[in-house]
């Protein structure tokens, strides 16, 4: 499994943290708001200009058409206040976007759709331990209007820079407006879920193999191996990470269902068909995550059962040796009594005879326990 993980790390595209303010290829000045990563105007599927402020971009859109896409990374209330006022964003949605830690959801405020996505990133690790972090989560929040989309990202993962460039290379799709951007973000987030699910599956397979191979050394003789599959802490930690993954995936099912099935004025009818594909992929990932939880429960129960069996084996061995040592203890106790008339006290071979009888009885009991698997 470690070879598969190393190969995945080698071929997986690097994830960039594009936290710096965006500068266009024409060396236009960066947006003055430090939280803004990028802001641009799109008309007929092509980026037509870069502006210093979202207010200037919005003025261009209102005059000549098109839409504006503003991307922000972890804005403060003060940094987001001007943008919220410019686009008429609802205060409740603005509060959620600034403070983050929201559940995935889809809400409508007047003529704006507010969507929350949980991004999930698999944390590479050489070895799974009881404290390993397996998944790392972030958030992407989208305010979608008729002529604008504002994306707010929280966390070090889930950059939208590469996504923006891919969309700009597909003018026909981008010409569908802000809903095309919303779909692309949803698609990227769900694709990330699928990649993480495959990596978590490898970790679970590795733990499962170690748990069920920890009882023997592969020769069928019952000898305990040195594998660490018996560490319940590792299994429990993996269960917690899967639970965090589940909290990102499961609540998103209903929003994706609404976007793919319910007609909405802010979602282009052609784009709505694409949301169906995203919803299908999400449902598949959700089923996989639910199966992870069930499988880990079974693995944990098997691990606890193995621990109980090992304890029973130890107790049987202790009991068997106690029974063997009880024989010389009993004989020594009897002959240690201070009676004058006892059998064989005056016999020349009495002492060696008692030793021989004691050893013979102990050997007989030991062979009986060995034959029955107690020793």
């Amino acid at each position: 499994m470690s070879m598969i993980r190393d190969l995945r790390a080698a071929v997986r595209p690097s994830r960039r943290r594009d936290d710096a303010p965006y500068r266009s290829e024409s060396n236009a000045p960066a947006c003055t708001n430090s939280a803004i990563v990028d802001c641009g105007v799109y008309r007929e599927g092509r980026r037509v200009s870069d502006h210093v402020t979202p207010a200037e971009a919005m003025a261009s859109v209102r005059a000549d058409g098109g839409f504006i896409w503003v991307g922000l990374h972890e804005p403060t209330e003060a940094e987001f206040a001007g943008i919220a006022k410019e686009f008429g964003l609802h205060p409740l949605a603005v509060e959620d976007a600034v403070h983050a830690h929201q559940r995935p959801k889809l809400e409508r405020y007047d003529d704006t759709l507010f969507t929350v996505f949980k991004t999930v990133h698999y944390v590479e690790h050489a070895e799974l331990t009881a404290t390993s972090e397996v998944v790392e989560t972030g958030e992407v929040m989208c305010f979608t209007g008729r002529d604008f989309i504002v994306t707010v990202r929280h966390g070090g993962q889930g950059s939208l820079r590469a996504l923006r460039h891919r969309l700009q290379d597909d003018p026909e799709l981008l010409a569908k407006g802000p809903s095309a951007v919303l779909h692309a973000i949803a698609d990227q987030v769900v694709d990330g879920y699928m990649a993480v699910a495959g990596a978590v599956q490898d970790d679970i397979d590795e733990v499962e193999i170690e748990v069920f191979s920890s009882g023997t050394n592969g020769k069928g003789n019952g000898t305990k191996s040195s594998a660490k599959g018996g560490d319940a802490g590792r299994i429990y930690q993996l269960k917690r990470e899967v639970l965090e993954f589940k909290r990102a995936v499961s609540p998103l099912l209903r929003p994706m269902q609404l976007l793919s099935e319910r007609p909405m004025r802010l979602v282009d009818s052609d784009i709505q068909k694409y949301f169906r594909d995203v919803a299908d992929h999400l449902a598949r990932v959700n089923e996989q995550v639910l199966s992870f939880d069930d499988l880990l429960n079974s693995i944990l129960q098997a691990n606890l059962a193995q621990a109980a069996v090992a304890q029973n084996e130890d107790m049987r061995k202790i009991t068997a040796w106690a029974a063997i040592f009880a024989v010389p203890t009993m004989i020594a106790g009897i002959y240690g009594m201070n009676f004058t008339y006892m059998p064989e006290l005056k016999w020349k071979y009495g002492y060696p005879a008692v030793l021989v009888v004691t050893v013979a009885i102990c050997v007989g009991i030991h062979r009986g326990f060995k034959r029955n698997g107690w020793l």
Side-chain angles (χ1 to χ4, degrees), residues 180-329:
V181 179
L182 180 62
H183 161 263
I185 294 172
D187 189 48
Q188 176 171 289
V189 169
V190 174
D191 284 347
Y193 292 166
M194 297 177 70
V196 172
V200 173
Q201 179 71 67
D202 290 343
D203 281 333
I204 295 177
D205 290 344
E206 182 177 345
V207 170
E208 184 179 20
I209 291 172
E210 291 181 356
V211 165
F212 288 102
S213 65
S214 61
T216 62
N217 62 0
K219 300 179 180 179
N221 57 9
T223 304
K224 291 183 179 179
S225 75
S226 60
K228 296 184 290 185
D231 187 358
R234 299 166 67 227
I235 304 173
Y236 185 71
Q237 175 65 13
L238 196 53
K239 275 183 62 66
R240 292 189 62 180
E241 296 297 306
V242 168
L243 178 59
E244 185 175 359
F245 190 13
K246 181 180 177 182
R247 288 172 179 167
V249 174
S250 296
L252 192 58
L253 288 171
R254 181 58 178 168
M256 287 299 101
Q257 183 180 9
L258 292 175
L259 288 171
S260 62
E261 297 178 357
R262 179 177 296 179
M264 297 183 182
R265 289 182 299 172
L266 298 175
V267 178
D268 187 276
S269 58
D270 293 334
I271 295 298
Q272 194 167 36
K273 301 175 184 177
Y274 290 93
F275 275 113
R276 296 173 189 170
D277 183 63
V278 177
D280 179 65
H281 290 171
L282 181 64
R284 192 185 314 166
V285 174
N286 184 64
E287 292 174 0
Q288 193 172 3
V289 173
L290 293 178
S291 69
F292 289 164
D293 194 40
D294 293 338
L295 182 57
L296 285 171
N297 284 334
S298 300
I299 294 174
L300 183 59
Q301 291 174 1
N303 177 260
L304 296 177
Q306 287 179 347
V309 169
Q311 290 177 351
N312 289 338
E313 291 179 354
D314 292 339
M315 288 302 299
R316 286 196 301 178
K317 290 181 180 180
I318 293 172
T319 302
W321 283 111
I324 292 173
F325 283 112
V327 174
T329 302

Side-chain angles (χ1 to χ4, degrees), residues 60-371:
S60 174
V61 167
R62 288 167 181 167
D64 302 321
F67 72 94
I68 177 176
W69 181 359
V70 181
L72 301 96
H73 181 256
E74 298 182 353
T76 63
E77 292 184 12
E79 290 171 332
F80 200 49
I83 294 176
K85 183 178 180 181
E86 179 67 32
F87 295 104
L89 306 181
H90 196 278
L92 292 177
V94 170
E95 182 180 0
D96 289 346
V98 171
H99 296 290
H101 303 295
Q102 301 298 315
R103 190 172 184 266
K105 60 184 178 179
L106 171 66
E107 296 178 342
R108 180 169 182 173
Y109 296 97
D110 300 327
D111 291 331
T112 303
L113 287 179
F114 178 58
T115 315
V116 177
F117 300 98
K118 281 278 190 181
T119 58
V120 179
H121 167 64
Y122 179 76
V123 180
E124 298 288 350
H125 47 268
E127 182 181 12
L128 181 66
T129 66
T131 58
S132 293
E133 184 181 12
V134 178
V135 295
E136 180 183 15
T137 59
E139 294 179 41
V140 175
M141 304 173 185
C142 302
F143 296 87
T144 309
R146 290 183 178 276
D147 51 9
F148 69 87
I149 181 166
V150 178
T151 57
V152 182
R153 184 167 61 89
H154 289 267
Q157 306 298 330
S159 171
L160 302 178
R161 177 65 58 80
L163 174 65
R164 186 186 290 262
H165 290 308
R166 286 201 304 271
L167 284 174
Q168 290 174 175
D169 292 336
D170 189 358
E172 183 177 352
L173 180 62
L174 197 56
K176 299 294 183 180
S179 60
V181 179
L182 180 62
H183 161 263
I185 294 172
D187 189 48
Q188 176 171 289
V189 169
V190 174
D191 284 347
Y193 292 166
M194 297 177 70
V196 172
V200 173
Q201 179 71 67
D202 290 343
D203 281 333
I204 295 177
D205 290 344
E206 182 177 345
V207 170
E208 184 179 20
I209 291 172
E210 291 181 356
V211 165
F212 288 102
S213 65
S214 61
T216 62
N217 62 0
K219 300 179 180 179
N221 57 9
T223 304
K224 291 183 179 179
S225 75
S226 60
K228 296 184 290 185
D231 187 358
R234 299 166 67 227
I235 304 173
Y236 185 71
Q237 175 65 13
L238 196 53
K239 275 183 62 66
R240 292 189 62 180
E241 296 297 306
V242 168
L243 178 59
E244 185 175 359
F245 190 13
K246 181 180 177 182
R247 288 172 179 167
V249 174
S250 296
L252 192 58
L253 288 171
R254 181 58 178 168
M256 287 299 101
Q257 183 180 9
L258 292 175
L259 288 171
S260 62
E261 297 178 357
R262 179 177 296 179
M264 297 183 182
R265 289 182 299 172
L266 298 175
V267 178
D268 187 276
S269 58
D270 293 334
I271 295 298
Q272 194 167 36
K273 301 175 184 177
Y274 290 93
F275 275 113
R276 296 173 189 170
D277 183 63
V278 177
D280 179 65
H281 290 171
L282 181 64
R284 192 185 314 166
V285 174
N286 184 64
E287 292 174 0
Q288 193 172 3
V289 173
L290 293 178
S291 69
F292 289 164
D293 194 40
D294 293 338
L295 182 57
L296 285 171
N297 284 334
S298 300
I299 294 174
L300 183 59
Q301 291 174 1
N303 177 260
L304 296 177
Q306 287 179 347
V309 169
Q311 290 177 351
N312 289 338
E313 291 179 354
D314 292 339
M315 288 302 299
R316 286 196 301 178
K317 290 181 180 180
I318 293 172
T319 302
W321 283 111
I324 292 173
F325 283 112
V327 174
T329 302
M330 180 187 66
I331 295 176
I334 292 174
Y335 278 90
M337 297 179 183
N338 294 322
F339 291 106
T340 301
Y341 302 102
M342 294 186 69
E344 315 304 339
L345 285 180
K346 304 298 183 179
W347 186 32
K348 179 179 179 180
Y349 302 104
Y351 178 70
V354 170
L355 291 180
V356 171
V357 170
T358 300
V359 171
I361 295 174
C362 290
V363 171
I365 295 175
H366 182 274
R367 292 188 63 183
F369 281 133
K370 193 76 172 179
R371 185 168 53 250

